[in-house]
Amino acid sequence: MTPEEKYNLAEMLKEIDDEVHEQKKDLSQEKNISQKTITELMISNLLKKNT
């Protein structure tokens, strides 16, 4: 089984590398917010929806 089209391996590796760096940024942002703050924001939003 051989692929019909040729893929640019260098471009694919660059996209994977870029994606890894983007995911690291997301994780670092996630760590800066405490679970207590997230819970309070969720409760606040639910209360607003109910009124």
Side-chain angles (χ1 to χ4, degrees):
M1 182 176 194
T2 57
E4 296 291 323
E5 58 184 295
K6 300 284 183 180
Y7 294 100
N8 182 345
L9 185 57
E11 182 66 28
M12 290 174 70
L13 290 173
K14 182 183 176 309
E15 288 177 11
I16 292 170
D17 191 48
D18 290 346
E19 183 66 27
V20 168
H21 289 299
E22 286 298 317
Q23 289 177 355
K24 284 182 182 177
K25 288 180 191 175
D26 289 345
L27 289 176
S28 67
Q29 290 175 356
E30 192 176 318
K31 290 179 184 175
N32 291 333
I33 302 173
S34 71
Q35 185 61 45
K36 181 181 177 189
T37 304
I38 293 171
T39 304
E40 288 172 352
L41 289 170
M42 290 172 64
I43 291 171
S44 174
N45 285 334
L46 287 172
L47 290 173
K48 286 180 187 176
K49 287 181 181 179
N50 286 335
T51 56

